[in-house]
Amino acid sequence: MAKRRTVHACQACGAQHPRWHGRCPDCGQWDSLVEETYEAPKAATGTGRGAAGLAARLPTEQEEKPRRLGEIDVDAVPRIPSGEGELDRVLGGGFVPGSVILLGGDPGVGKSTLALQVAGRLAAGGESVLYVSGEESAEQIRLRAERLPGLGSAMQVLTTTRVEALADPWKTLAPRFVVVDSIQTLATEAIESAAGSVAQVRESAAQLAATAKKQGSVLLLIGHVTKDGTLAGPRVLEHLVDVVLTFEGDRAHAFRLLRAVKNRFGSTQEIGVLNMAGHGLEAVENPSELFLEERSTRAPGSCVIPLLEGTRPMLVELQALVAPAPYGTPRRTTLGLEDARVALLLAVLDRRTPIDILSQDVYAKAAGGVRVAEPAADLAIALAIASSRLDRALPADTAAVGEIGLGGELRRVARLDVRRAEAARLGFRRLLVPAVCARELEERASGSAGARKGGRRGGSEQCELVPFEELAQAIAWLEENGVAEPPRRGARRAVD
């Protein structure tokens, strides 16, 4: 008989210990150690349970020999287009054969829908595709596929929760694309523990990843997330895969954001925007118009920021509401913005400008459910807060971008020309920027005639740059050029 051993695995960090502890010695988590029984694998030539994993059950090719780096031809394994433009943008041009991709997101955000769309379109295009589901039956998958157009009927579907059950289909079909929905539902016979445990997720993912790289298949693993929004399972799962994608979205909004947290074959700065419709997910070619279509141009407390996600510029509205603190202790509530960044900007506004802000309740958010973490949004956040405090709305054709230092100075931002062109394309005629950025852009424009045409569709020439050295100058400009909100019945002004 195969030798078994018992260990206690931490459900938080995946560390293994020979005996139980009330607190994990590695991560410090209380009551997280669970007893698990391992069965040592048999020799590779053996048969039966746990015979060296899933990869050993597939045909063995000739052993790979060392090669010079310059002799390796990358064109021999071209990328596979997914059929979804936004996904290809985030991946860096498509799937790399033999790569392992982990897709995570909140329940109901559309992970399975995205995976089914991509798998169905690849199958309809002639690729061999295997869709493995441990959460749904084959009939349920067919019901979901009927509302997604263009999927065809060539995709192979397998419903199982055993890793070893994939050996024969993988050997027979030799699929180029394999989807596992989800990795937390699969279990391997080599470990005697419940599906979804740290040991099962780690071992199942390791066997699947080794098989995918051995066969040259693209493996897409769908993963659950915890209540904190992090990927469930051991941390080693993220190190094991080549690409980690997060699918973000609010159920109150139709659009979804696709980001790459880790990408061995491309940039992690790109973002994909999709819209959840009745017939599935569809690409959003112009996200700026989507985020600004419900914008109010007359109410104070609003400022538009031209963000830059990788190579894609995107205009987002930032909103703020300042109100008297009725209970003595001011409240700070943010949504889609970093709490620490808003607190820092409030301190700078109070110390470096004449605005009294620390005694007021402050509510700030990024409209549309977008999450904004770029330092270039500092100026827009500060102006939105000041606009609400002064009851003066920024002009409707004005946007702002710039990082703010603790001394109140405005610091440079990257790719101002691209941000400027996107703002001009959507009708903005003024862009409030740090003075150093304006000088650099003017120097480049004067040194090259072609730089004056740098904006997309030639729109950057129509957007005026309004430079500032310090935040106090931008606040003074707002007081002079802002539009006072017309009085409304029952409304109380924040500043007498």
Side-chain angles (χ1 to χ4, degrees):
M1 293 181 62
K3 185 178 180 180
R4 296 185 180 183
R5 64 187 181 96
T6 300
V7 298
H8 293 82
C10 177
Q11 302 298 298
C13 66
Q16 297 181 358
H17 305 280
R19 53 178 296 191
W20 184 86
H21 299 274
R23 183 180 183 183
C24 176
D26 287 20
C27 67
Q29 186 75 19
W30 287 95
D31 198 24
S32 61
L33 297 186
V34 177
E35 182 178 353
E36 295 177 347
T37 302
Y38 286 80
E39 180 178 338
K42 298 181 180 180
T45 57
T47 58
R49 183 173 174 177
L54 176 64
R57 301 176 181 230
L58 299 178
T60 303
E61 298 181 359
Q62 187 176 2
E63 290 291 337
E64 186 73 18
K65 297 181 180 180
R67 291 182 293 171
R68 292 181 181 272
L69 182 63
E71 298 176 352
I72 301 175
D73 184 13
V74 296
D75 296 331
V77 283
R79 289 179 181 259
I80 305 173
S82 66
E84 182 62 61
E86 296 299 298
L87 178 58
D88 288 342
R89 175 196 294 271
V90 177
L91 292 174
F95 295 114
V96 175
S99 62
V100 183
I101 303 165
L102 178 61
L103 174 63
D106 294 331
V109 75
K111 303 184 297 298
S112 298
T113 300
L114 177 62
L116 186 60
Q117 281 188 197
V118 172
R121 290 173 182 174
L122 288 175
E127 300 286 354
S128 177
V129 176
L130 176 62
Y131 191 99
V132 182
S133 176
E135 299 181 345
E136 298 176 289
S137 65
E139 291 75 17
Q140 291 173 330
I141 297 175
R142 175 61 186 273
L143 288 175
R144 286 200 296 117
E146 287 183 350
R147 65 180 179 87
L148 305 177
L151 299 190
S153 58
M155 181 177 66
Q156 300 286 337
V157 177
L158 174 65
T159 58
T160 183
T161 57
R162 294 176 53 250
V163 173
E164 288 74 15
L166 275 67
D168 290 339
W170 212 319
K171 177 181 178 180
T172 304
L173 300 175
R176 295 199 66 189
F177 187 72
V178 179
V179 178
V180 175
D181 186 12
S182 64
I183 185 60
Q184 278 79 15
T185 62
L186 293 191
T188 175
E189 298 175 353
I191 298 177
E192 292 185 356
S193 61
S197 63
V198 170
Q200 281 290 2
V201 171
R202 179 179 60 245
E203 183 66 20
S204 299
Q207 292 191 27
L208 290 170
T211 305
K213 294 184 180 298
K214 179 179 179 180
Q215 300 297 111
S217 304
V218 178
L219 176 62
L220 176 62
L221 304 175
I222 298 180
H224 297 168
V225 296
T226 64
K227 61 181 181 181
D228 299 328
T230 59
L231 285 166
R235 193 69 176 180
V236 71
L237 180 61
E238 299 181 40
H239 296 286
L240 182 68
V241 302
D242 300 307
V243 181
V244 178
L245 303 178
T246 60
F247 208 30
E248 307 169 3
D250 190 346
R251 293 187 179 183
H253 300 87
F255 65 88
R256 304 289 187 265
L257 301 180
L258 186 64
R259 301 176 187 268
V261 179
K262 171 187 176 182
N263 191 354
R264 289 175 176 167
F265 314 114
S267 172
T268 58
Q269 304 298 321
E270 295 291 347
I271 184 174
V273 184
L274 301 102
N275 183 55
M276 178 64 79
H279 54 274
L281 291 163
E282 56 185 15
V284 177
E285 302 294 340
N286 197 348
S288 297
E289 293 182 356
L290 173 68
F291 295 140
L292 298 181
E293 63 181 358
E294 298 177 351
R295 172 180 172 237
S296 175
T297 59
R298 299 181 59 187
S302 173
C303 185
V304 174
I305 162 73
L307 294 176
L308 195 63
E309 296 284 354
T311 59
R312 162 177 284 185
M314 187 169 59
L315 268 63
V316 175
E317 181 188 8
L318 304 182
Q319 296 178 334
L321 178 63
V322 179
Y327 303 110
T329 303
R331 296 186 59 185
R332 306 287 185 255
T333 303
T334 63
L335 185 61
L337 303 173
E338 296 179 354
D339 296 341
R341 183 173 299 278
V342 174
L344 182 148
L345 294 175
L346 291 176
V348 174
L349 279 169
D350 186 77
R351 292 297 301 273
R352 307 302 181 187
T353 68
I355 298 179
D356 174 26
I357 204 71
L358 293 185
S359 61
Q360 305 289 317
D361 286 344
V362 177
Y363 306 89
K365 66 170 293 188
V370 184
R371 180 167 53 87
V372 177
E374 190 180 9
D378 286 354
L379 181 57
I381 297 173
L383 287 176
I385 295 173
S387 171
S388 178
R389 182 72 175 106
L390 299 172
D391 266 340
R392 299 191 69 84
L394 273 81
D397 60 351
T398 302
V401 61
E403 182 181 356
I404 298 177
L406 292 179
E409 75 280 6
L410 298 185
R411 298 175 175 267
R412 63 168 52 87
V413 297
R415 305 290 302 276
L416 182 61
D417 52 345
V418 178
R419 303 175 194 264
R420 182 187 188 186
E422 180 70 6
R425 189 181 66 83
L426 291 184
F428 288 86
R429 296 294 173 260
R430 281 175 292 194
L431 183 62
L432 311 186
V433 299
V436 61
C437 290
R439 289 195 297 267
E440 291 176 353
L441 195 60
E442 290 175 359
E443 289 174 0
R444 289 199 301 266
S446 60
S448 173
R452 296 202 258 303
K453 305 177 183 178
R456 291 193 303 172
R457 304 182 187 179
S460 61
E461 297 179 344
Q462 305 174 12
C463 189
E464 174 191 2
L465 295 181
V466 183
F468 300 107
E469 295 283 353
E470 298 180 348
L471 176 60
Q473 298 175 357
I475 300 299
W477 184 92
L478 171 63
E479 292 181 305
E480 180 180 352
N481 297 274
V483 180
E485 182 183 18
R488 291 176 294 176
R489 180 177 298 178
R492 182 171 59 184
R493 295 180 60 85
V495 179
D496 295 331

